Coordinates of all heavy atoms in Angstrom, one line a residue:
M1 N 6.7 -8.3 -13.5 CA 7.0 -7.3 -12.4 C 5.9 -6.3 -12.4 O 5.5 -5.8 -13.5 CB 8.4 -6.7 -12.8 CG 8.8 -5.6 -11.8 SD 10.4 -5.1 -12.2 CE 10.6 -3.8 -11.0
P2 N 5.4 -6.0 -11.2 CA 4.3 -5.0 -11.1 C 4.7 -3.7 -11.7 O 5.9 -3.3 -11.6 CB 4.0 -5.0 -9.7 CG 4.6 -6.2 -9.1 CD 5.7 -6.5 -10.0
A3 N 3.7 -2.9 -12.2 CA 4.0 -1.6 -12.7 C 4.2 -0.7 -11.5 O 3.8 -0.9 -10.4 CB 2.8 -1.1 -13.5
H4 N 4.9 0.4 -11.7 CA 5.2 1.4 -10.7 C 4.8 2.8 -11.2 O 5.2 3.2 -12.3 CB 6.7 1.4 -10.3 CG 7.0 2.3 -9.2 ND1 6.7 2.0 -7.9 CD2 7.6 3.5 -9.2 CE1 7.1 3.0 -7.1 NE2 7.6 3.9 -7.9
P5 N 3.9 3.5 -10.5 CA 3.5 4.9 -11.0 C 4.7 5.8 -11.2 O 5.5 6.0 -10.4 CB 2.6 5.4 -9.9 CG 2.3 4.2 -9.0 CD 3.4 3.2 -9.2
A6 N 4.7 6.5 -12.4 CA 5.7 7.5 -12.7 C 5.6 8.7 -11.9 O 6.6 9.4 -11.6 CB 5.7 7.8 -14.2
D7 N 4.4 9.1 -11.5 CA 4.2 10.3 -10.7 C 4.6 10.1 -9.3 O 4.1 9.2 -8.6 CB 2.7 10.8 -10.8 CG 2.5 12.1 -10.2 OD1 2.4 12.2 -9.0 OD2 2.4 13.1 -11.0
P8 N 5.5 11.0 -8.8 CA 6.0 10.8 -7.4 C 4.9 10.8 -6.3 O 4.9 10.1 -5.3 CB 7.0 11.9 -7.2 CG 7.4 12.3 -8.6 CD 6.2 12.1 -9.5
A9 N 3.9 11.7 -6.5 CA 2.8 11.8 -5.5 C 2.0 10.5 -5.5 O 1.6 10.0 -4.4 CB 1.9 13.0 -5.7
V10 N 1.7 10.0 -6.7 CA 0.9 8.7 -6.8 C 1.7 7.6 -6.2 O 1.2 6.7 -5.5 CB 0.4 8.5 -8.2 CG1 -0.3 7.2 -8.3 CG2 -0.4 9.7 -8.7
A11 N 3.0 7.5 -6.5 CA 3.9 6.5 -6.0 C 3.9 6.5 -4.5 O 3.9 5.5 -3.8 CB 5.3 6.6 -6.6
A12 N 4.0 7.7 -3.9 CA 4.0 7.9 -2.4 C 2.6 7.4 -1.9 O 2.6 6.7 -0.8 CB 4.2 9.3 -2.0
F13 N 1.5 7.7 -2.5 CA 0.2 7.2 -2.1 C 0.2 5.7 -2.1 O -0.3 5.1 -1.1 CB -0.8 7.8 -3.1 CG -2.2 7.4 -2.9 CD1 -3.1 8.2 -2.2 CD2 -2.7 6.2 -3.4 CE1 -4.5 7.8 -2.0 CE2 -4.0 5.8 -3.2 CZ -4.9 6.6 -2.5
V14 N 0.6 5.1 -3.2 CA 0.6 3.6 -3.2 C 1.5 3.0 -2.2 O 1.0 2.1 -1.5 CB 1.0 3.1 -4.7 CG1 1.2 1.6 -4.7 CG2 0.0 3.6 -5.7
T15 N 2.6 3.5 -2.0 CA 3.5 3.0 -0.9 C 2.9 3.2 0.4 O 3.0 2.2 1.3 CB 4.9 3.8 -1.0 OG1 5.5 3.5 -2.3 CG2 5.8 3.3 0.1
A16 N 2.3 4.3 0.7 CA 1.6 4.5 2.0 C 0.5 3.5 2.2 O 0.3 3.0 3.3 CB 1.1 5.9 2.1
V17 N -0.3 3.3 1.2 CA -1.4 2.3 1.3 C -0.8 0.9 1.6 O -1.2 0.2 2.6 CB -2.2 2.2 0.0 CG1 -3.2 1.0 0.0 CG2 -3.1 3.5 -0.2
N18 N 0.2 0.5 0.8 CA 0.8 -0.8 1.0 C 1.5 -1.1 2.3 O 1.7 -2.2 2.7 CB 1.6 -1.2 -0.2 CG 0.7 -1.4 -1.5 OD1 -0.5 -1.6 -1.4 ND2 1.4 -1.3 -2.6
T19 N 2.0 0.0 2.9 CA 2.7 -0.1 4.2 C 1.8 0.2 5.4 O 2.3 0.1 6.5 CB 4.0 0.7 4.2 OG1 3.6 2.1 4.0 CG2 5.0 0.3 3.1
G20 N 0.6 0.6 5.1 CA -0.3 1.0 6.2 C 0.1 2.2 6.9 O -0.2 2.4 8.1
D21 N 0.8 3.1 6.2 CA 1.3 4.3 6.9 C 0.4 5.5 6.7 O 0.4 6.2 5.7 CB 2.7 4.6 6.3 CG 3.5 5.8 7.0 OD1 2.8 6.6 7.6 OD2 4.7 5.8 6.9
K22 N -0.4 5.7 7.7 CA -1.5 6.8 7.6 C -0.8 8.2 7.5 O -1.3 9.0 6.8 CB -2.4 6.7 8.9 CG -3.6 7.6 8.8 CD -4.4 7.5 10.0 CE -5.3 6.2 10.1 NZ -6.3 6.3 11.1
N23 N 0.3 8.4 8.2 CA 0.9 9.7 8.1 C 1.4 10.0 6.7 O 1.2 11.1 6.2 CB 2.0 9.9 9.1 CG 1.5 9.9 10.6 OD1 0.4 10.4 10.8 ND2 2.3 9.5 11.5
A24 N 2.1 9.0 6.1 CA 2.6 9.2 4.7 C 1.4 9.3 3.7 O 1.5 10.1 2.8 CB 3.5 8.0 4.4
F25 N 0.3 8.6 4.0 CA -0.8 8.7 3.1 C -1.4 10.1 3.1 O -1.5 10.7 2.0 CB -1.9 7.7 3.6 CG -3.2 7.8 2.9 CD1 -3.4 7.1 1.7 CD2 -4.3 8.6 3.3 CE1 -4.6 7.1 1.0 CE2 -5.5 8.6 2.6 CZ -5.6 7.9 1.5
F26 N -1.6 10.7 4.2 CA -2.1 12.1 4.3 C -1.1 13.1 3.8 O -1.5 14.1 3.3 CB -2.7 12.4 5.6 CG -4.1 11.7 5.8 CD1 -4.2 10.6 6.6 CD2 -5.2 12.1 5.1 CE1 -5.4 9.9 6.7 CE2 -6.4 11.5 5.2 CZ -6.6 10.4 6.0
A27 N 0.2 12.8 4.0 CA 1.2 13.7 3.5 C 1.3 13.8 2.0 O 1.7 14.8 1.4 CB 2.6 13.3 4.0
A28 N 0.8 12.7 1.3 CA 0.8 12.7 -0.1 C -0.4 13.5 -0.7 O -0.5 13.7 -1.9 CB 0.7 11.2 -0.6
L29 N -1.3 13.9 0.2 CA -2.5 14.6 -0.2 C -2.5 16.0 0.2 O -1.8 16.4 1.1 CB -3.8 14.0 0.5 CG -4.0 12.5 0.4 CD1 -5.1 12.0 1.3 CD2 -4.3 12.1 -1.1
T30 N -3.2 16.9 -0.6 CA -3.3 18.3 -0.2 C -4.2 18.3 1.0 O -5.0 17.4 1.3 CB -3.9 19.1 -1.4 OG1 -5.2 18.6 -1.7 CG2 -3.1 19.1 -2.6
D31 N -4.2 19.4 1.7 CA -5.0 19.6 2.9 C -6.5 19.5 2.6 O -7.3 19.1 3.5 CB -4.7 20.9 3.6 CG -3.2 20.9 4.2 OD1 -2.7 19.8 4.4 OD2 -2.7 22.0 4.5
D32 N -6.9 19.9 1.4 CA -8.3 19.9 1.1 C -8.6 18.8 0.0 O -9.6 18.9 -0.7 CB -8.7 21.3 0.5 CG -7.9 21.7 -0.7 OD1 -6.9 21.0 -1.1 OD2 -8.3 22.7 -1.4
A33 N -7.9 17.7 0.0 CA -8.1 16.7 -1.0 C -9.5 16.1 -0.8 O -10.1 16.0 0.3 CB -7.0 15.6 -0.8
T34 N -10.0 15.6 -2.0 CA -11.3 15.0 -2.0 C -11.2 13.6 -2.8 O -10.1 13.4 -3.4 CB -12.3 15.9 -2.8 OG1 -11.8 16.1 -4.1 CG2 -12.6 17.2 -2.0
M35 N -12.2 12.8 -2.7 CA -12.2 11.5 -3.4 C -13.6 11.1 -3.7 O -14.5 11.5 -3.1 CB -11.4 10.5 -2.6 CG -11.9 10.1 -1.2 SD -13.1 8.8 -1.2 CE -12.3 7.5 -2.1
S36 N -13.7 10.1 -4.6 CA -14.9 9.4 -4.9 C -14.7 8.0 -5.1 O -13.6 7.6 -5.5 CB -15.6 10.0 -6.1 OG -14.9 9.8 -7.3
D37 N -15.7 7.2 -4.7 CA -15.6 5.7 -4.8 C -16.8 5.3 -5.6 O -17.9 5.5 -5.2 CB -15.6 5.1 -3.5 CG -15.4 3.6 -3.5 OD1 -15.3 3.0 -4.5 OD2 -15.3 3.0 -2.4
D38 N -16.6 4.6 -6.8 CA -17.6 4.2 -7.7 C -18.6 5.3 -8.0 O -19.8 5.1 -8.0 CB -18.4 3.0 -7.1 CG -17.6 1.7 -7.3 OD1 -16.9 1.5 -8.3 OD2 -17.8 0.8 -6.5
G39 N -18.0 6.5 -8.2 CA -18.8 7.7 -8.6 C -19.5 8.4 -7.5 O -20.2 9.4 -7.8
T40 N -19.3 8.0 -6.3 CA -20.0 8.7 -5.2 C -18.9 9.4 -4.3 O -17.9 8.8 -3.9 CB -20.7 7.7 -4.3 OG1 -21.7 7.1 -5.1 CG2 -21.4 8.4 -3.1
D41 N -19.1 10.7 -4.1 CA -18.1 11.5 -3.3 C -18.2 10.9 -1.9 O -19.3 10.6 -1.3 CB -18.5 12.9 -3.2 CG -18.2 13.6 -4.6 OD1 -17.5 13.1 -5.4 OD2 -18.8 14.7 -4.8
R42 N -17.0 10.7 -1.2 CA -16.9 10.2 0.1 C -16.2 11.1 1.0 O -15.3 11.9 0.5 CB -16.2 8.8 0.1 CG -16.8 7.8 -0.9 CD -18.0 7.2 -0.3 NE -18.5 6.1 -1.2 CZ -19.6 5.5 -1.1 NH1 -20.4 5.7 -0.1 NH2 -19.9 4.5 -1.9
D43 N -16.3 11.0 2.3 CA -15.5 11.7 3.3 C -14.2 10.9 3.3 O -14.1 9.7 3.6 CB -16.1 11.6 4.7 CG -15.2 12.2 5.7 OD1 -14.3 11.5 6.2 OD2 -15.5 13.3 6.1
L44 N -13.1 11.6 2.8 CA -11.8 11.0 2.6 C -11.3 10.3 3.8 O -10.8 9.2 3.8 CB -10.8 12.0 2.0 CG -9.6 11.4 1.4 CD1 -9.1 12.3 0.3 CD2 -8.5 11.2 2.4
A45 N -11.3 11.0 4.9 CA -10.7 10.4 6.2 C -11.4 9.2 6.6 O -10.8 8.2 7.0 CB -10.6 11.5 7.3
A46 N -12.7 9.3 6.6 CA -13.5 8.1 7.0 C -13.4 6.9 6.1 O -13.2 5.8 6.5 CB -15.0 8.5 7.1
W47 N -13.3 7.2 4.8 CA -13.2 6.2 3.8 C -11.8 5.5 3.9 O -11.7 4.3 3.9 CB -13.3 6.8 2.4 CG -13.2 5.8 1.3 CD1 -14.2 5.1 0.7 CD2 -12.0 5.4 0.6 NE1 -13.7 4.3 -0.3 CE2 -12.3 4.4 -0.4 CE3 -10.6 5.7 0.7 CZ2 -11.4 3.8 -1.2 CZ3 -9.7 5.1 -0.1 CH2 -10.1 4.2 -1.1
A48 N -10.7 6.3 4.1 CA -9.4 5.8 4.2 C -9.3 4.9 5.4 O -8.7 3.8 5.4 CB -8.4 6.9 4.2
D49 N -9.9 5.3 6.5 CA -9.8 4.5 7.7 C -10.5 3.2 7.5 O -10.0 2.1 7.8 CB -10.5 5.3 8.9 CG -10.3 4.5 10.2 OD1 -9.2 4.1 10.6 OD2 -11.3 4.1 10.8
S50 N -11.7 3.2 6.9 CA -12.5 2.0 6.7 C -11.9 1.1 5.6 O -11.8 -0.1 5.8 CB -13.9 2.4 6.3 OG -14.7 1.3 6.0
E51 N -11.6 1.7 4.5 CA -11.2 0.9 3.3 C -9.7 0.5 3.2 O -9.3 -0.4 2.5 CB -11.6 1.6 2.0 CG -13.1 1.9 1.9 CD -13.9 0.6 1.8 OE1 -13.4 -0.4 1.3 OE2 -15.1 0.6 2.3
I52 N -8.9 1.3 4.0 CA -7.4 1.1 3.9 C -6.9 0.6 5.3 O -6.4 -0.5 5.5 CB -6.7 2.3 3.4 CG1 -7.1 2.7 2.0 CG2 -5.2 2.0 3.5 CD1 -6.6 4.0 1.5
F53 N -6.9 1.5 6.2 CA -6.2 1.3 7.5 C -6.7 0.3 8.4 O -6.0 -0.4 9.0 CB -5.8 2.7 8.1 CG -5.1 3.6 7.2 CD1 -5.7 4.7 6.6 CD2 -3.8 3.3 6.8 CE1 -5.0 5.5 5.7 CE2 -3.1 4.0 5.9 CZ -3.7 5.2 5.3
S54 N -8.0 0.3 8.7 CA -8.6 -0.7 9.6 C -8.9 -2.0 8.9 O -9.3 -3.0 9.6 CB -9.8 -0.1 10.3 OG -10.9 0.1 9.4
S55 N -8.7 -2.1 7.6 CA -9.0 -3.3 6.9 C -7.8 -3.9 6.1 O -8.0 -4.7 5.2 CB -10.2 -3.1 6.0 OG -9.9 -2.1 5.0
N56 N -6.6 -3.4 6.4 CA -5.4 -3.9 5.8 C -5.4 -3.8 4.3 O -5.1 -4.8 3.6 CB -5.1 -5.3 6.3 CG -4.9 -5.4 7.7 OD1 -4.2 -4.6 8.4 ND2 -5.7 -6.3 8.4
G57 N -5.7 -2.6 3.7 CA -5.8 -2.4 2.3 C -4.5 -2.5 1.6 O -3.4 -2.2 2.2
R58 N -4.5 -3.0 0.4 CA -3.3 -3.2 -0.4 C -3.6 -3.1 -1.9 O -4.6 -3.6 -2.4 CB -2.7 -4.6 -0.1 CG -1.4 -4.8 -1.0 CD -0.5 -5.9 -0.4 NE 0.6 -6.1 -1.3 CZ 1.7 -5.3 -1.3 NH1 1.8 -4.3 -0.6 NH2 2.7 -5.6 -2.1
M59 N -2.7 -2.3 -2.6 CA -2.8 -2.2 -4.0 C -1.7 -2.9 -4.7 O -0.6 -2.7 -4.5 CB -2.7 -0.7 -4.4 CG -3.7 0.2 -3.8 SD -3.4 2.0 -4.1 CE -3.8 2.1 -5.8
D60 N -2.1 -3.8 -5.6 CA -1.1 -4.5 -6.5 C -1.3 -3.9 -7.9 O -2.3 -4.3 -8.6 CB -1.3 -6.0 -6.5 CG -0.9 -6.6 -5.1 OD1 0.1 -6.2 -4.6 OD2 -1.7 -7.4 -4.6
I61 N -0.4 -3.0 -8.3 CA -0.6 -2.3 -9.6 C -0.4 -3.3 -10.8 O 0.6 -4.0 -10.9 CB 0.4 -1.2 -9.7 CG1 0.4 -0.3 -8.4 CG2 0.2 -0.4 -11.0 CD1 -1.0 0.4 -8.2
E62 N -1.4 -3.3 -11.7 CA -1.3 -4.1 -12.9 C -0.7 -3.2 -14.0 O 0.1 -3.7 -14.8 CB -2.7 -4.6 -13.3 CG -3.3 -5.5 -12.3 CD -4.7 -5.9 -12.7 OE1 -5.1 -5.7 -13.9 OE2 -5.4 -6.4 -11.9
D63 N -1.2 -2.0 -14.2 CA -0.7 -1.1 -15.2 C -0.9 0.3 -14.8 O -1.7 0.6 -13.9 CB -1.2 -1.4 -16.6 CG -2.7 -1.3 -16.7 OD1 -3.3 -0.3 -16.3 OD2 -3.3 -2.3 -17.2
T64 N -0.2 1.2 -15.5 CA -0.3 2.6 -15.2 C -0.2 3.4 -16.5 O 0.5 3.0 -17.4 CB 0.8 3.0 -14.1 OG1 0.7 4.4 -13.9 CG2 2.2 2.7 -14.6
S65 N -0.8 4.5 -16.5 CA -0.7 5.4 -17.6 C 0.7 6.0 -17.7 O 1.4 6.0 -16.7 CB -1.7 6.6 -17.5 OG -1.4 7.4 -16.4
P66 N 1.2 6.5 -18.9 CA 2.5 7.0 -19.0 C 2.8 8.1 -17.9 O 3.9 8.2 -17.5 CB 2.6 7.6 -20.4 CG 1.6 6.7 -21.2 CD 0.5 6.4 -20.2
D67 N 1.8 9.0 -17.6 CA 2.1 10.0 -16.6 C 1.9 9.5 -15.2 O 2.2 10.3 -14.2 CB 1.1 11.2 -16.9 CG -0.3 10.9 -16.6 OD1 -0.7 9.8 -16.2 OD2 -1.1 11.9 -16.8
G68 N 1.5 8.3 -15.0 CA 1.5 7.7 -13.7 C 0.3 8.1 -12.8 O 0.2 7.9 -11.7
R69 N -0.7 8.8 -13.5 CA -1.9 9.3 -12.8 C -3.2 8.5 -12.9 O -4.2 8.8 -12.3 CB -2.1 10.7 -13.1 CG -0.9 11.6 -12.6 CD -1.1 13.1 -12.9 NE 0.0 13.8 -12.4 CZ 0.1 15.1 -12.5 NH1 -0.8 15.8 -13.1 NH2 1.2 15.7 -12.0
T70 N -3.1 7.4 -13.7 CA -4.2 6.5 -13.8 C -3.7 5.1 -13.7 O -2.7 4.7 -14.4 CB -4.9 6.7 -15.2 OG1 -5.4 8.0 -15.3 CG2 -6.1 5.7 -15.3
L71 N -4.3 4.3 -12.8 CA -3.8 3.0 -12.5 C -4.9 2.0 -12.6 O -6.1 2.3 -12.3 CB -3.2 2.9 -11.1 CG -2.3 4.0 -10.5 CD1 -2.1 3.8 -9.0 CD2 -1.0 4.0 -11.3
T72 N -4.5 0.8 -12.9 CA -5.4 -0.4 -12.7 C -4.7 -1.3 -11.7 O -3.5 -1.5 -11.8 CB -5.6 -1.2 -14.0 OG1 -6.1 -0.3 -15.0 CG2 -6.6 -2.3 -13.8
A73 N -5.4 -1.7 -10.7 CA -4.8 -2.4 -9.6 C -5.8 -3.5 -9.1 O -7.0 -3.3 -9.1 CB -4.4 -1.5 -8.5
T74 N -5.2 -4.6 -8.6 CA -6.0 -5.5 -7.8 C -5.9 -4.9 -6.4 O -4.8 -4.7 -5.8 CB -5.4 -6.9 -7.8 OG1 -5.5 -7.4 -9.1 CG2 -6.2 -7.8 -6.9
Y75 N -7.1 -4.5 -5.8 CA -7.2 -3.9 -4.5 C -7.7 -5.0 -3.6 O -8.7 -5.6 -3.8 CB -8.0 -2.7 -4.5 CG -7.9 -2.0 -3.1 CD1 -6.8 -1.2 -2.8 CD2 -8.9 -2.2 -2.1 CE1 -6.7 -0.6 -1.6 CE2 -8.7 -1.6 -0.9 CZ -7.7 -0.8 -0.6 OH -7.5 -0.3 0.6
T76 N -7.1 -5.2 -2.4 CA -7.4 -6.2 -1.5 C -7.5 -5.6 -0.1 O -6.6 -4.8 0.3 CB -6.4 -7.4 -1.5 OG1 -6.3 -7.9 -2.8 CG2 -6.8 -8.5 -0.5
N77 N -8.6 -5.9 0.6 CA -8.7 -5.6 2.0 C -9.5 -6.7 2.7 O -10.1 -7.5 2.1 CB -9.2 -4.2 2.3 CG -10.7 -4.0 2.0 OD1 -11.5 -4.9 2.0 ND2 -11.1 -2.7 1.8
S78 N -9.5 -6.7 4.1 CA -10.1 -7.7 4.8 C -11.6 -7.6 4.8 O -12.3 -8.6 5.3 CB -9.5 -7.8 6.2 OG -9.8 -6.5 6.9
T79 N -12.2 -6.5 4.4 CA -13.6 -6.4 4.3 C -14.2 -6.9 3.0 O -15.2 -7.7 3.1 CB -14.0 -4.9 4.4 OG1 -13.5 -4.3 5.6 CG2 -15.5 -4.7 4.4
W80 N -13.6 -6.6 1.9 CA -14.2 -6.9 0.6 C -13.4 -8.0 -0.2 O -13.9 -8.4 -1.2 CB -14.3 -5.7 -0.3 CG -15.0 -4.6 0.4 CD1 -14.5 -3.4 0.9 CD2 -16.4 -4.5 0.6 NE1 -15.5 -2.6 1.4 CE2 -16.7 -3.2 1.2 CE3 -17.5 -5.3 0.3 CZ2 -18.0 -2.9 1.6 CZ3 -18.8 -4.9 0.7 CH2 -19.0 -3.7 1.3
G81 N -12.3 -8.4 0.3 CA -11.5 -9.3 -0.5 C -10.7 -8.6 -1.6 O -10.3 -7.5 -1.4
S82 N -10.5 -9.3 -2.7 CA -9.8 -8.7 -3.8 C -10.7 -8.3 -5.0 O -11.7 -9.1 -5.3 CB -8.8 -9.7 -4.4 OG -7.8 -9.9 -3.4
M83 N -10.4 -7.2 -5.6 CA -11.2 -6.8 -6.8 C -10.3 -6.0 -7.7 O -9.4 -5.3 -7.2 CB -12.4 -6.0 -6.4 CG -12.2 -4.7 -5.8 SD -13.7 -3.9 -5.2 CE -13.9 -4.7 -3.7
R84 N -10.6 -6.0 -9.0 CA -9.9 -5.2 -9.9 C -10.4 -3.8 -9.9 O -11.6 -3.6 -10.0 CB -10.0 -5.8 -11.3 CG -9.1 -5.3 -12.3 CD -9.0 -6.2 -13.6 NE -8.0 -5.8 -14.4 CZ -8.2 -5.1 -15.6 NH1 -9.4 -4.8 -15.9 NH2 -7.1 -4.7 -16.3
T85 N -9.6 -2.8 -9.7 CA -10.0 -1.4 -9.6 C -9.2 -0.5 -10.5 O -8.1 -0.8 -11.0 CB -9.8 -1.0 -8.1 OG1 -8.4 -1.1 -7.8 CG2 -10.6 -1.7 -7.1
R86 N -9.8 0.6 -10.7 CA -9.2 1.7 -11.5 C -9.1 2.9 -10.6 O -10.0 3.2 -9.8 CB -10.1 2.0 -12.7 CG -9.5 3.2 -13.6 CD -10.4 3.3 -14.8 NE -10.0 4.5 -15.6 CZ -9.1 4.4 -16.6 NH1 -8.6 3.3 -16.9 NH2 -8.8 5.5 -17.3
W87 N -8.0 3.6 -10.7 CA -7.7 4.8 -9.8 C -7.2 5.9 -10.7 O -6.4 5.7 -11.6 CB -6.6 4.5 -8.8 CG -6.8 3.3 -7.9 CD1 -6.9 2.0 -8.2 CD2 -7.1 3.5 -6.5 NE1 -7.2 1.3 -7.1 CE2 -7.3 2.2 -6.0 CE3 -7.2 4.5 -5.6 CZ2 -7.7 1.9 -4.7 CZ3 -7.5 4.3 -4.3 CH2 -7.7 3.0 -3.8
T88 N -7.8 7.1 -10.5 CA -7.4 8.3 -11.3 C -7.1 9.4 -10.3 O -7.9 9.6 -9.4 CB -8.5 8.7 -12.3 OG1 -8.9 7.6 -13.1 CG2 -8.1 9.9 -13.1
F89 N -5.9 10.0 -10.5 CA -5.5 11.0 -9.5 C -5.3 12.4 -10.2 O -4.8 12.4 -11.3 CB -4.1 10.6 -9.0 CG -4.1 9.3 -8.2 CD1 -4.0 8.1 -8.9 CD2 -4.3 9.3 -6.8 CE1 -4.0 6.9 -8.2 CE2 -4.3 8.1 -6.1 CZ -4.2 6.9 -6.8
T90 N -5.7 13.4 -9.5 CA -5.4 14.8 -9.9 C -4.3 15.3 -8.9 O -4.4 15.2 -7.7 CB -6.6 15.7 -9.7 OG1 -7.7 15.1 -10.5 CG2 -6.3 17.1 -10.1
V91 N -3.2 15.7 -9.5 CA -2.0 16.1 -8.7 C -1.9 17.7 -8.9 O -1.9 18.2 -10.0 CB -0.7 15.4 -9.1 CG1 0.5 15.9 -8.3 CG2 -0.9 13.9 -8.9
T92 N -1.8 18.3 -7.7 CA -1.6 19.8 -7.7 C -0.4 20.1 -6.8 O -0.3 19.7 -5.7 CB -2.9 20.4 -7.1 OG1 -4.0 20.0 -7.8 CG2 -2.8 21.9 -7.1
D93 N 0.5 20.8 -7.4 CA 1.8 21.2 -6.7 C 2.4 20.0 -6.0 O 2.9 20.2 -4.9 CB 1.5 22.4 -5.7 CG 1.0 23.6 -6.4 OD1 1.4 23.9 -7.6 OD2 0.2 24.4 -5.8
G94 N 2.5 18.9 -6.7 CA 3.2 17.8 -6.2 C 2.5 16.9 -5.1 O 3.1 16.0 -4.6
R95 N 1.2 17.2 -4.9 CA 0.4 16.4 -4.0 C -0.9 16.1 -4.6 O -1.4 16.8 -5.5 CB 0.2 17.2 -2.6 CG 1.6 17.3 -1.9 CD 1.5 18.3 -0.7 NE 0.7 17.7 0.3 CZ 0.2 18.5 1.3 NH1 0.3 19.8 1.3 NH2 -0.6 17.9 2.3
I96 N -1.6 15.0 -4.2 CA -2.8 14.6 -4.7 C -3.9 15.5 -4.2 O -4.1 15.5 -2.9 CB -3.1 13.1 -4.4 CG1 -2.0 12.3 -5.1 CG2 -4.5 12.7 -4.8 CD1 -1.9 10.8 -4.6
S97 N -4.7 16.1 -5.0 CA -5.8 17.0 -4.6 C -7.1 16.3 -4.8 O -8.1 16.7 -4.2 CB -5.8 18.3 -5.4 OG -5.9 18.1 -6.8
H98 N -7.2 15.2 -5.6 CA -8.4 14.4 -5.8 C -8.0 13.1 -6.3 O -7.1 13.0 -7.1 CB -9.4 15.1 -6.7 CG -10.6 14.4 -7.0 ND1 -11.7 14.4 -6.0 CD2 -11.0 13.5 -8.0 CE1 -12.7 13.6 -6.5 NE2 -12.3 13.1 -7.6
F99 N -8.8 12.0 -5.9 CA -8.6 10.7 -6.6 C -10.0 10.1 -6.7 O -10.9 10.3 -5.8 CB -7.6 9.8 -5.9 CG -7.9 9.3 -4.5 CD1 -8.6 8.1 -4.3 CD2 -7.6 10.0 -3.4 CE1 -8.9 7.6 -3.1 CE2 -7.8 9.6 -2.1 CZ -8.5 8.4 -2.0
E100 N -10.1 9.3 -7.7 CA -11.4 8.5 -7.9 C -11.0 7.1 -8.0 O -9.9 6.7 -8.6 CB -12.0 9.0 -9.3 CG -12.4 10.4 -9.3 CD -13.0 10.9 -10.6 OE1 -13.5 10.0 -11.4 OE2 -13.0 12.1 -10.9
T101 N -11.7 6.2 -7.4 CA -11.5 4.8 -7.5 C -12.8 4.1 -7.8 O -13.9 4.6 -7.5 CB -10.8 4.2 -6.3 OG1 -10.5 2.9 -6.5 CG2 -11.7 4.4 -5.0
G102 N -12.8 2.9 -8.3 CA -14.0 2.1 -8.5 C -13.6 0.8 -9.2 O -12.4 0.6 -9.6
Q103 N -14.5 -0.1 -9.3 CA -14.2 -1.3 -9.9 C -13.9 -1.1 -11.4 O -14.5 -0.3 -12.1 CB -15.4 -2.3 -9.8 CG -15.6 -2.7 -8.3 CD -16.5 -3.8 -8.1 OE1 -16.5 -4.8 -8.8 NE2 -17.4 -3.6 -7.1
A104 N -12.9 -1.9 -11.9 CA -12.5 -1.8 -13.3 C -13.2 -2.8 -14.1 O -13.6 -3.8 -13.7 CB -11.0 -1.9 -13.4

């Protein structure tokens, strides 16, 4: 059975990605949220559109830290195919204020 993030904000993020729900995705984030991909800061909205929403992104969680803020997942989209990825989230007041992703 796939792992499920213990942190509610991260769980909402994963659900939004896997259902392609852009509104729920941005609702899980703070208004000033930031992100990086493979160590490079990215424009979050442009990245999400390209890597998730216009390319049918999906996260299959392999494991999660006890606090639910660090995940290993097989990430799949129609641009890059499938790859093993690591995700680390910073949660502020119940919403994600920053996340980092990259190949695991």
Side-chain angles (χ1 to χ4, degrees):
M1 181 172 172
H4 184 76
D7 187 281
V10 177
F13 177 98
V14 172
T15 298
V17 169
N18 287 343
T19 59
D21 187 336
K22 190 181 282 193
N23 290 331
F25 176 84
F26 284 105
L29 305 173
T30 62
D31 293 340
D32 60 349
T34 59
M35 62 86 54
S36 65
D37 185 356
D38 281 327
T40 302
D41 291 342
R42 305 285 185 184
D43 176 282
L44 193 152
W47 182 91
D49 184 57
S50 173
E51 299 295 329
I52 299 171
F53 300 110
S54 66
S55 61
N56 303 307
R58 177 159 179 79
M59 299 173 74
D60 292 314
I61 308 301
E62 296 175 15
D63 60 49
T64 180
S65 63
D67 67 1
R69 294 184 180 178
T70 301
L71 314 173
T72 303
T74 299
Y75 188 78
T76 305
N77 70 22
S78 60
T79 302
W80 304 108
S82 294
M83 66 186 80
R84 192 164 189 257
T85 57
R86 179 177 175 91
W87 300 73
T88 304
F89 298 87
T90 302
V91 177
T92 305
D93 296 328
R95 294 169 69 200
I96 296 165
S97 57
H98 180 79
F99 67 92
E100 298 177 24
T101 187
Q103 292 191 45

